Amino acid sequence: MLIDDIDFADLYRKQLLLANRTEKKPEHWDKRAEKMAENCASLTDSYLQQLLGKINLEGVESLFDMGCGPGTVSLALAKKIPTIYGVDYSQGMLSVAARRAGQMGGSHVHWVQRSWEEHWDDLPPCDIAVASRSTLVADMHQAMTKLNNQARLRVYTTHLVSSSFVSPTIQRALGREVIELPNYIYALNVLYQMGIHAHVDFIRGPNCQQDNSTWSRFLENVRWSMGDLSEDEVDRLDTWYQQQDPRAIAPASRDWALIWWDSVAPEALR
């Protein structure tokens, strides 16, 4: 079978369904906003520094930051870009981002509550669009199309390299079948079939969400990624956890694939 005969957008949707990923409502992210601002949004964060080092700001006067969270990328670039739109579907994230902007002098950053699936027709196009660690979406083709159309110059997205937020070892400890999420390969091929020949680079840095120092914190982390657990699964996990070194449960690093491209005219997309 030729690669062009494979519908990667459909394959992505099927793999996401097979993985039975729990959809995170805005309220879930609202509760995580303060912790993410503390752990993942520091200007000295290795992931952020690597990402910023790979973004070409030549000719850039405006930024569209989709899935902006607590303003991680938006505020890191606030001193270099005159107009910024930070977009997220979590009001909690936007509130934390706005507070941080006030502390950092980011009054020119506009915070907008919007999801990937909602319309963006009223949001102005910008020179570059960024989607950092926010691309595990329901419809990859739709998401990449919208980002491309939002950017006049370039688009930068980061995607999982590993196919799971929770290690197969932990999934097996729960007694569950190991099922993988769609990783960056799907996005790259979706873009190819859209007529976009994207560039790929990699970011390797410390895992900013690796606090498993207590049983309650570890259980919270697993529930966050795996959804509700039965009493039997909790018992299994507890037994497994007591035999581990909490410092070694989460990988010390998490790799991300940076996929970027020069924006393509909407009429040229397939």
Side-chain angles (χ1 to χ4, degrees):
M1 177 182 289
L2 296 174
I3 192 170
D4 289 336
D5 294 332
I6 302 172
D7 184 342
F8 280 96
D10 183 58
L11 200 62
Y12 172 89
R13 287 190 293 268
K14 289 177 178 177
Q15 186 62 37
L16 197 64
L17 182 64
L18 183 64
N20 194 30
R21 175 163 172 76
T22 303
E23 181 183 359
K24 300 296 187 298
K25 302 296 183 182
E27 296 76 17
H28 287 273
W29 291 109
D30 293 347
K31 297 175 183 177
R32 302 278 284 199
E34 293 288 356
K35 182 67 71 175
M36 285 190 65
E38 178 184 342
N39 292 344
C40 303
S42 168
L43 294 178
T44 60
D45 177 69
S46 175
Y47 166 90
L48 181 58
Q49 289 184 334
Q50 290 179 70
L51 174 61
L52 297 180
K54 298 174 188 294
I55 294 178
N56 179 5
L57 295 181
E58 182 179 355
V60 172
E61 297 291 327
S62 55
L63 162 67
F64 182 87
D65 182 9
M66 183 59 200
C68 66
T72 307
V73 174
S74 293
L75 295 179
L77 291 174
K79 292 183 178 180
K80 298 181 178 180
I81 301 178
T83 303
I84 296 175
Y85 287 85
V87 184
D88 204 290
Y89 75 157
S90 163
Q91 184 55 55
M93 288 290 184
L94 295 174
S95 296
V96 171
R99 188 193 72 220
R100 296 182 65 234
Q103 296 167 344
M104 301 171 65
S107 59
H108 60 295
V109 183
H110 309 278
W111 306 108
V112 181
Q113 186 174 17
R114 203 67 56 86
S115 71
W116 281 97
E117 292 75 28
E118 293 175 290
H119 74 84
W120 299 354
D121 298 345
D122 58 328
L123 301 179
C126 295
D127 291 325
I128 61 173
V130 172
S132 170
R133 298 186 289 203
S134 64
T135 55
L136 198 58
V137 294
D139 187 327
M140 183 60 68
H141 185 279
Q142 178 195 64
M144 297 300 99
T145 299
K146 292 174 78 170
L147 278 179
N148 177 79
N149 295 348
Q150 201 68 28
R152 286 187 285 259
L153 298 177
R154 293 174 290 278
V155 181
Y156 297 87
T157 65
T158 61
H159 307 255
L160 286 172
V161 172
S162 169
S163 57
S164 177
F165 284 110
V166 177
S167 75
T169 301
I170 293 175
Q171 294 184 53
R172 293 187 188 99
L174 286 168
R176 294 192 182 187
E177 179 184 359
V178 176
I179 299 177
E180 299 179 332
L181 292 164
N183 67 0
Y184 77 99
I185 292 296
Y186 291 80
L188 184 62
N189 282 289
V190 167
L191 288 165
Y192 168 77
Q193 293 187 326
M194 289 169 57
I196 294 174
H197 295 169
H199 306 262
V200 184
D201 205 339
F202 295 92
I203 297 173
R204 182 177 178 84
N207 186 348
C208 69
Q209 300 185 57
Q210 59 175 327
D211 180 10
N212 294 303
S213 56
T214 67
W215 159 244
S216 61
R217 179 63 177 159
F218 172 66
L219 181 59
E220 177 188 352
N221 289 340
V222 174
R223 280 177 168 154
W224 171 258
S225 293
M226 301 294 293
D228 292 335
L229 305 179
S230 68
E231 289 186 15
D232 179 61
E233 287 178 326
V234 172
D235 289 341
R236 285 171 175 263
L237 200 61
D238 189 10
T239 299
W240 181 85
Y241 179 83
Q242 302 309 326
Q243 300 171 355
Q244 309 304 312
D245 177 355
R247 297 168 297 181
I249 289 176
S253 65
R254 173 168 285 165
D255 296 347
W256 295 87
L258 170 64
I259 298 179
W260 69 272
W261 66 94
D262 295 326
S263 58
V264 175
E267 59 270 19
L269 295 178
R270 298 175 194 153

